[in-house]
Amino acid sequence: LLKPGENTTLTAIYDTVNRIGAFTKEIRIFSNDPKTPERVVAIDGVVKGRPMPMIGVEPTFMNIGKIRVNEERILKVAVSNMGEKELELYGITSRDGNTKLLDKEMKIAPGEKIHLELPFKQPTVGSFREIFLVTSNARRATVSLVVTGEAE
């Protein structure tokens, strides 16, 4: 309770967990003052995340067209680190774990990009849609790489 002419300091705490980026919030202060029963205080800010690697994969979808069964086709994929810490690329493996396009760990410095040439074979006849998981230590740790085509 404040007496006429008194003032006080209010402390507001904003929980920033999982809220990276710009924000705008309002705090409403209510009182028994008949002239101003409510005040709105606007707060603007930017929450910075802790430095982490951030993975980029290009492309994330490729249609390789027609291919003969077990014919090797080279898939060209670029992996970049758009983050502020070193990216550890753990591998590129089919979703079922049976096919490994990249079976070694690689490190990518912040702001760097590497170009990979990955050997791919389709063992069965017919249309295919293979989903590979690009795994890393990035904030979005797993990125899907979808490969489609027709094996004859």
Side-chain angles (χ1 to χ4, degrees), residues 10 18 31 41 47 60 63 67 75 77 84 89 91 97-98 100 104 106 108-109 112-113 124 143-144 149:
L10 299 175
N18 296 323
S31 74
V41 178
V47 177
T60 55
N63 182 332
I67 185 174
L75 308 178
V77 178
E84 299 173 10
L89 180 61
N98 292 330
K100 295 181 186 324
K104 65 178 182 176
M106 302 180 82
I108 305 171
E112 295 294 314
K113 179 187 281 191
T124 57
V143 176
S144 294

Side-chain angles (χ1 to χ4, degrees), residues 37-111:
E38 178 183 356
R39 280 258 196 223
V40 177
V41 178
I43 300 173
D44 295 324
V46 176
V47 177
K48 290 187 175 183
R50 68 174 196 225
M52 291 187 73
M54 187 184 311
I55 190 169
V57 177
E58 296 173 41
T60 55
F61 175 87
M62 59 178 74
N63 182 332
I64 62 172
K66 293 190 186 248
I67 185 174
R68 286 191 297 278
V69 170
N70 288 320
E71 172 189 347
E72 184 173 281
R73 185 71 60 91
I74 298 298
L75 308 178
K76 294 184 178 186
V77 178
V79 180
S80 58
N81 180 2
M82 301 166 294
E84 299 173 10
K85 285 215 162 184
E86 185 175 72
L87 175 70
E88 295 174 17
L89 180 61
Y90 300 137
I92 303 175
T93 308
S94 61
R95 191 164 48 183
D96 62 11
N98 292 330
T99 305
K100 295 181 186 324
L101 293 180
L102 181 69
D103 194 19
K104 65 178 182 176
E105 289 190 19
M106 302 180 82
K107 296 183 185 293
I108 305 171

